[in-house]
Amino acid sequence: MKILIVGSGGREHAIAHKVSQSKLADQLYCAPGNAGIEEYATCVDIGVMDFDGLAAFAEREKIDLTVIGPDDPLVAGIADVFEAKNLRIFGPGKNAAIIEGSKAFSKELMKKYNIPTAAYEIFDSPQAAYAYLDICKFPVVLKADGLALGKGVLICNSLEEAKAGVKTIMVDKQFGAAGDRLVVEEFMTGREVSVLAFCDGTNIIPMTSAQDHKRAKDGDKGLNTGGMGAFSPSPFYTPEVDAFCKRYIYQATMEAMKAEGRDFKGILFFGLMLTQNGTKVLEYNARFGDPEAQVVLPRMKNDIVEVFNACIDGKLDRVKLEFEDNAAVCVILASEGYPVHYEKGFSIKGLESFKDKDGFYAFHAGTRKTETGIVTNGGRVLGITATGKDLREARRNAYMAAGWVTFENKYMRNDIGKAIDEA
Ligand code: AMP
Ligand code: GLY
């Protein structure tokens, strides 16, 4: 098969690596790709939102399957554009990707179908939101309705902060039209777990669990980022939690979407919080997580292209997903100053150390190939993943491998996976 992967981050590198191992994959393309993905795929310079350009490329090159990495094209309906041209695509259509694209939609869905989540209210005007805040207990969580690069969630500890937050989202429109509506949500505490699941419209099969680290600094301090590291499996995701989620969350969400006429085919990502009052859904995403994919996919035993095909063809009930009985940890190497201000263009050394080493991966995110070698080209530069027989060994391996790579202004958190010591 000729397969096209759409995206350019560490997640897409992990997908490309996994697809490259499939016995069904003959030729691999990636749009736009990055310096690491080039190792397995021909990278073509077409942007992820250029649906006509991508579809024209798929038609011209007779691509058999296109796999979408990021949320933006899915929420904007890339799958519908491809399907209208009879091009095979892995990813939900626009009417199902709304589960990530609108937080108001996902909250209403959960309420209607009794899927456990935080209590909430939805507002279309700042005045109504201000009035509601006057009777709230703090902290509260404010969420811009639409996509906001993972930044549209504000945790507010006082009425003053919350009013300023409403202004930021709904009046100043810091996140653009994503802030036309606002969800005000009850603040919950507990451990977070990410579970990604393959879906074929009817059936859903969850993968092994993972946890990411969103904050920039050790001890979960600093600003929210696109993710500074991850580990899999989560020791907090016990068989009891799994049984609860299978009973009340995963299949229930699939059935709810079906009942709404929004059959979900693709990856459904459950952001869960294990609270004292049980497991609740924090958010849904309609795609693989980044950096969750970088720790989950290296542990997967199945041929991923077979699983993609089963999802598209509605035959997921014939698939048995299998994961190695091991663990993986991913440490993100970022540019000092990320996520605010950072410099780019520094030469990266040490990537050759990963060649032919089983269980060690340097997934590229913000990198660029130049005549003199690979240089830094973004805030998150590389995701260094290592496996091990258990989480502690995987963590030791990941930090060892993170030390093989050097570049000016290299920054990483030193406590990725530290939580496992508390398990
Ligand atoms: P979301 O994009 O909805 O997952 O929110 C981003 C992050 O904000 C989550 O990963 C949590 O760390 C935090 N968060 C979201 N909703 C809540 C909530 N109701 N209570 C506490 N923290 C939350
Ligand atoms: N790691 C969280 C996300 O991909 O949205």
Side-chain angles (χ1 to χ4, degrees), residues 11 71 100 150 194 212-214 226-227 269 283 285 287-292:
R11 164 183 52 207
D71 44 7
E100 170 165 12
S194 304
D212 73 348
H213 297 65
K214 290 198 174 78
F269 166 139
E283 65 162 345
N285 294 316
R287 51 168 174 86
F288 282 103
D290 188 337
E292 284 89 341

Side-chain angles (χ1 to χ4, degrees), residues 16 26 107 309 322 357:
D26 300 311
K107 295 299 291 189
N309 280 335
E322 287 185 291
K357 281 207 186 72

Side-chain angles (χ1 to χ4, degrees), residues 11 17 39 45 56 76 85-86 94 131 136 158 176 189 199 230 236 258 303 310 321 380 402:
R11 164 183 52 207
H17 173 259
E39 200 183 315
D45 193 15
K85 294 180 189 285
N86 278 322
K94 186 174 180 171
C136 271
S158 65
T189 53
C199 306
F236 308 102
K258 205 172 192 49
D303 181 323
L321 272 193
R380 292 192 302 161

Side-chain angles (χ1 to χ4, degrees), residues 2 7 20 42 45 76 88 98 101 121 147 151 175 204 227 273 279-280 282 286 300 349 357 359 395 403 405:
K2 282 179 152 188
S20 75
T42 305
D45 193 15
R88 207 169 153 81
I98 189 174
E121 295 289 337
L147 293 182
K151 298 190 177 106
F175 312 109
I204 177 163
M273 187 176 265
T279 301
K280 306 215 172 162
L282 278 177
M300 186 175 156
K349 300 270 185 291
K357 281 207 186 72
R395 185 175 59 188
V405 180

Side-chain angles (χ1 to χ4, degrees), residues 103 107 117-119 140-141 143 150-155 185-190 192 212 214-215 224 269 271-273 281-285:
K103 291 194 187 286
K107 295 299 291 189
T117 189
V140 291
V141 184
K143 297 185 173 183
K151 298 190 177 106
V153 174
L154 305 177
I155 294 173
E185 202 174 277
E186 163 204 11
F187 176 77
M188 306 188 292
T189 53
E192 288 184 41
D212 73 348
K214 290 198 174 78
R215 301 291 202 93
N224 262 327
F269 166 139
L272 304 170
M273 187 176 265
V281 177
L282 278 177
E283 65 162 345
Y284 294 111
N285 294 316

Side-chain angles (χ1 to χ4, degrees), residues 5 22 60 63 74 176-178 193 201 233 281 305 308 313 326 337 373 419 421:
I5 296 167
S22 165
R60 194 170 63 240
I63 298 291
L74 289 168
V193 180
V281 177
V305 178
F308 287 153
D313 297 332
N326 66 357
D421 296 333

